[in-house]
Amino acid sequence: MAEKINFFAERREMVEFQIKRRGIRDPKVLEAMLKVPRHLFVPEQMKELAYGDEPLPIGEGQTISQPYIVAYMTEALKLTGHEKVLEIGTGSGYQTAILAELAREVYTVELIPELSRRAQKVLRELGYQNIHFLIGDGTLGWPEHAPYEAILVSAAPATVPRSLIEQLKENGRLIIPVGTEYQELVLVRKKKDGWEEERLIPVRFVPLVTVH
Ligand code: SAH
C-alpha cells in the first residue's frame, strides 16, 4: 500500500526550521504558513518536494517562491486583517492564499492566462472568497481598485514601477524585488509628500515582463 505523506507534519517542519529559525516572528504569518496546503499549488509530480527549502517550477518557465521568501515578504507588509492588498504575479496562487488569510481583500494580477486560470481553480476549491483575479500586465497595477494599503510583487523589474507607488495609500507598504543580475528586496513606504525606500535582502526572482 502506498504510504500517504503527512503534509501537515511537513508544514510544521517547514515553519519550524525554514521560517521561525530564520527570524520570522509574526504569529499570524506563521499561522498562515502552517495552514495553507502548499502541495496543492505545485505540479502533481512535485507534491513531495512542495515543503522543501527552495523555489519549484510551476510551468510556463515560472516558479513558486521559496517558503521563507513568501513568509519574509508577507511579514514586511505588517498586515492587520483590514487591508486591501494588490499582488503582482499570481503564479501558482500560493502567495495569494497567504495574503488572503491575512488581509481583507486581495487583488492579484498575472500576465500568463494559463497560470492565472490554474491558480483561480485551486483557490476556488480551497474556498477563498476574498480574492479577485486579473489577467494582464501587472506593471500597470490595477488602478480601478486603488489605493491599496499594501502591494506585493513577486517578479523583478529593473526599477520600481511608478504606477505601483501611485496606487499605494499614504503610509502603505510595497515589497518588491528589484534588479536584473543582482536583485534585492526593496520596501517602499508611501508618505504624504513622496516615499521612502529601504533595501532588505538579496533575492532571485523571475523578471517582471514589460509588455509593449
Ligand atoms: N507568487 C508566485 C510567484 C510566481 S513567479 C508564486 O509563489 O507562485 C512570478 C509570476 O509573475 C509569474 O507567474 C509571471 O508570469 C508573473 N509575471 C511576470 N511579469 C508579469 C507582469 N508584467 N504582469 C503580471 N505578472 C507577471
Side-chain angles (χ1 to χ4, degrees):
M1 205 166 72
E3 210 176 330
K4 215 149 172 220
I5 304 167
N6 184 343
F7 287 117
F8 182 73
E10 293 220 6
R11 272 205 295 288
R12 217 164 37 204
E13 288 215 353
M14 173 189 86
V15 168
E16 211 51 49
F17 296 107
Q18 301 173 32
I19 297 174
K20 270 197 195 167
R21 189 173 277 189
R22 290 194 182 112
I24 305 297
R25 289 283 172 267
D26 185 334
K28 285 190 179 158
V29 173
L30 298 174
E31 204 180 299
M33 299 293 295
L34 199 57
K35 179 176 173 193
V36 176
R38 181 170 164 94
H39 61 280
L40 300 182
F41 294 87
V42 303
E44 188 65 36
Q45 69 276 18
M46 298 234 173
K47 276 194 172 26
E48 289 174 33
L49 303 173
Y51 297 97
D53 195 8
E54 62 201 347
L56 292 172
I58 54 170
E60 315 291 332
Q62 305 303 323
T63 54
I64 177 172
S65 306
Q66 180 190 7
Y68 169 63
I69 295 296
V70 172
Y72 184 95
M73 292 177 79
T74 308
E75 187 177 61
L77 295 177
K78 295 196 189 295
L79 299 172
T80 64
H82 306 290
E83 296 83 358
K84 193 158 76 165
V85 180
L86 174 66
E87 180 194 33
I88 307 301
T90 315
S92 66
Y94 175 66
Q95 171 79 71
T96 322
I98 299 288
L99 292 172
E101 292 285 340
L102 298 170
R104 182 167 54 82
E105 299 291 334
V106 180
Y107 293 83
T108 184
V109 186
E110 169 59 51
L111 191 59
I112 303 177
E114 293 71 28
L115 289 178
S116 179
R117 286 195 207 106
R118 211 182 304 152
Q120 290 184 38
K121 181 167 183 288
V122 178
L123 292 164
R124 194 174 47 236
E125 284 170 2
L126 285 172
Y128 288 100
Q129 309 260 327
N130 59 341
I131 305 175
H132 313 271
F133 299 88
L134 178 68
I135 296 172
D137 180 9
T139 312
L140 308 173
W142 192 343
E144 287 81 359
H145 300 284
Y148 304 94
E149 281 90 7
I151 302 180
L152 185 151
V153 185
S154 53
T159 56
V160 182
R162 206 48 73 91
S163 46
L164 295 184
I165 297 179
E166 278 164 13
Q167 288 170 39
L168 204 52
K169 202 167 180 171
E170 191 180 323
N171 296 319
R173 293 167 161 251
L174 157 66
I175 182 100
I176 181 168
V178 179
T180 48
E181 274 111 86
Y182 175 77
Q183 300 172 4
E184 51 193 6
L185 281 180
V186 174
L187 179 67
V188 177
R189 267 168 297 205
K190 183 89 172 261
K191 300 284 160 197
K192 207 183 182 102
D193 313 302
W195 70 91
E196 289 172 5
E197 287 186 19
E198 184 186 346
R199 297 150 136 232
L200 303 171
I201 55 171
V203 283
R204 189 88 221 135
F205 276 83
V206 297
L208 185 76
V209 176
T210 318
V211 186
H212 295 288

